[in-house]
Each structure stands twice: as C-alpha cells, then as structure tokens.
C-alpha cells in the first residue's frame, strides 16, 4: 500500500486524511510494511510502529528517489473543458508521467464556469498512490493563449490539429529533448490563426489520425505516443 505524506522524512508519521484512510479504511496494523512518498520525488519503505487516534507512527526503513518517474519532463497544456472531463485528463496524464498540467483559455474555450484546482490536486495525488509515482504533477492556474505562445518559444512543443494531414508524432519528436510539451485544443478545436501562431512560435502540428477525438482522449493519446517515442515504454 502506498500513501502520500509531504513531510514524511522529518515527521515519520501519517496524519490527517492519510492517517484516517490508512488506519480506518484500509485497516493498516502495527508491524505492517507500507510505502510513503513525499510528492517531490522521494519514497520511503516504512514499518508501522504504533497507531494512535490522530496519527500513525512509522519507522523508515529505506529511502529511494525517482520511483515511477519518466526520464523526460512532460508538460500538458490543455484547453479548458468541462470539470469532469478535465478531471479524467488529470488522472490519466498523472498515470502517464506528466510533471506539469496547465489549463489554457483559447479561442473556442467555454468560459462560463471555473475549474476546481484543489479537486485536480486530490485526483493527481490519488493517481500517484495508485500508479506508483513519487512526484505529484504541478497544476497551474489557467493561462491565456498569448501566454502559451510566449512559453512555446522556450520549449519543445507538439499539438494535434484536426486539419493536419501529414505530420505524425513520430516524425515531430526530437528524441534528444529532455523536456516536451503537448498542447491540446478544446472541443471546438484550434483555429487556423492559432495554429499558425503556434507554428510561428516553434511548435509542431501533428495528426492523431482520421477521427476527431474529444479533448481528454486526444490528451491521453498524444501523451501515450510521446512516451512510447521517447523510450519510456518498451512495447
């Protein structure tokens, strides 16, 4: 069993919701062995020493770093979509190894609602516990498309465009890069003007095939192919 506790190295205890989940939901017992990660890249093999009302006290046996993490620093820029579908994208992107998730307002973004970033963080933590990662992705506040363009000039970015006919991800990927960004447009798509501005800023337009995918599906698909192309998976 794996648990998130950000101050584990200095405190050697589980507290709050993590303690409640471990002691009362999963019924962890004294002398059980568990894994605890700090969300910043370190994880600890621990033995449960004592369970008290407000905390679970641990003995740290071993520390490791980088467990479950990709060699490539991955960024997902995802245009704002409905909360539940953005939640799915956060969960799956975390499982795939993404390190940074940034919501983007683009031309066809629906601006009527707001995203619950705290909810996203909880989903990312749960996904890390499940998939074996030791680092929680950083989820930023929403940015405007102009800010995305400014960032594009300083990173290696690809973006699926529904009218792209020829550019595959395998052709676009530079395997010498240690940091890759993926931008996914909203349900209405990326406008031709936005596409041109992205290309002018240095991003690479790619195709995901003949079918039009929903935004969250496109994010999962593109990230999966990037991971495979960058050697993260041996398939």
């Amino acid at each position: 069993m794996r648990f998130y506790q950000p101050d584990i190295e200095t405190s050697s205890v589980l507290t709050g919701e993590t303690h409640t989940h471990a002691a009362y939901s999963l019924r962890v017992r004294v002398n059980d062995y568990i894994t605890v990660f700090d969300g910043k890249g370190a994880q600890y093999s621990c033995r449960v020493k004592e369970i008290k009302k407000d905390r679970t006290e641990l003995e740290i046996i071993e520390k490791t770093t980088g467990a479950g993490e990709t060699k490539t620093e991955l960024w997902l820029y995802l245009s704002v979509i409905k909360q539940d579908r953005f939640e799915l994208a956060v969960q799956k992107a975390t499982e795939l190894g993404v390190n940074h998730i940034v919501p983007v307002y683009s031309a066809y973004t629906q601006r009527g609602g707001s995203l619950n970033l705290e909810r996203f963080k909880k989903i990312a933590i749960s996904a890390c516990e499940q998939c074996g990662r030791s680092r929680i992705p950083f989820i930023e506040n929403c940015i405007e498309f102009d800010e995305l363009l400014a960032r594009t000039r300083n990173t290696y970015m690809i973006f699926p465009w529904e009218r792209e006919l020829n550019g595959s991800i395998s052709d676009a990927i530079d395997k010498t890069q240690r940091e890759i960004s993926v931008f996914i447009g909203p349900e209405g798509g990326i406008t031709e003007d936005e596409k041109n501005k992205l290309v002018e800023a240095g991003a690479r337009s790619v195709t995901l095939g003949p079918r039009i995918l929903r935004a969250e599906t496109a994010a999962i698909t593109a990230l999966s192919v990037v991971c495979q192309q960058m050697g993260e998976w041996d398939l």
Side-chain angles (χ1 to χ4, degrees):
M1 288 181 283
R2 303 182 77 255
F3 302 95
Y4 167 63
Q5 187 71 41
D7 60 348
I8 179 61
E9 186 169 30
T10 56
S11 68
S12 300
V13 297
L14 302 181
T15 57
E17 292 182 3
T18 306
H19 158 69
T20 301
H21 182 57
Y24 298 106
S25 298
L26 298 180
R27 300 188 179 276
V28 168
R29 294 295 177 253
V30 172
N31 290 325
D32 283 353
Y33 288 87
I34 64 174
T35 300
V36 184
F37 66 100
D38 66 2
K40 298 183 287 291
Q43 73 173 24
Y44 304 81
S45 297
C46 303
R47 182 183 66 85
V48 177
K49 292 199 308 183
E50 189 173 0
I51 299 175
K52 297 184 177 181
K53 184 177 181 180
D54 62 340
R55 66 188 185 276
T56 299
E57 297 185 356
L58 305 171
E59 174 191 4
I60 295 178
I61 308 294
E62 182 182 18
K63 175 184 176 180
T64 57
T65 57
E69 296 304 312
T70 59
K71 299 184 290 293
T72 308
E73 189 86 358
L74 297 173
W75 289 68
L76 172 63
Y77 291 91
L78 177 59
S79 289
V80 174
I81 53 178
K82 291 182 179 179
Q83 174 77 24
D84 59 339
R85 287 162 48 208
F86 209 109
E87 289 176 5
L88 176 63
V90 167
Q91 181 188 61
K92 301 310 176 187
T94 301
E95 292 177 24
L96 289 167
V98 166
N99 307 109
H100 305 266
I101 300 173
V102 187
V104 179
Y105 286 119
S106 55
Y108 291 147
T109 300
Q110 297 295 322
R111 294 176 179 253
S114 60
L115 297 179
N116 186 337
L117 299 183
E118 285 301 312
R119 169 73 177 160
F120 293 159
K121 183 176 179 181
K122 289 181 178 180
I123 289 171
I125 290 171
S126 178
C128 285
E129 288 178 334
Q130 177 270 318
C131 74
R133 288 190 64 180
S134 53
R135 181 178 166 191
I136 298 168
F138 181 69
I139 303 173
E140 293 189 30
N141 291 320
C142 299
I143 65 171
E144 297 290 338
F145 185 77
D146 286 346
E147 172 64 19
L148 174 69
L149 288 178
R151 296 188 184 196
T152 301
R153 295 183 177 91
N154 299 308
T155 189
Y156 194 92
M157 178 179 289
I158 65 170
F159 65 98
W161 191 48
E162 62 270 18
R163 283 184 273 171
E164 181 63 64
L165 301 177
N166 300 311
S168 68
I169 294 179
S170 60
D171 290 335
I173 286 292
D174 177 356
K175 296 182 180 179
T176 66
Q177 297 292 322
R178 303 323 307 161
E179 180 177 305
I180 292 180
S181 298
V182 176
F183 170 55
I184 304 295
E187 289 307 312
I190 298 170
T191 68
E192 187 162 3
D193 180 59
E194 288 175 329
K195 179 259 186 183
N196 292 335
K197 288 179 178 178
L198 284 165
V199 171
E200 289 172 5
R204 291 150 180 83
S205 175
V206 299
T207 179
L208 293 180
R211 291 170 296 282
I212 304 298
L213 305 180
R214 298 186 74 158
E216 65 273 27
T217 309
I220 296 166
T221 302
L223 290 168
S224 297
V225 177
V226 168
C227 284
Q228 194 276 332
Q229 288 294 315
M230 293 301 293
E232 300 292 348
W233 300 343
D234 184 14
L235 301 177

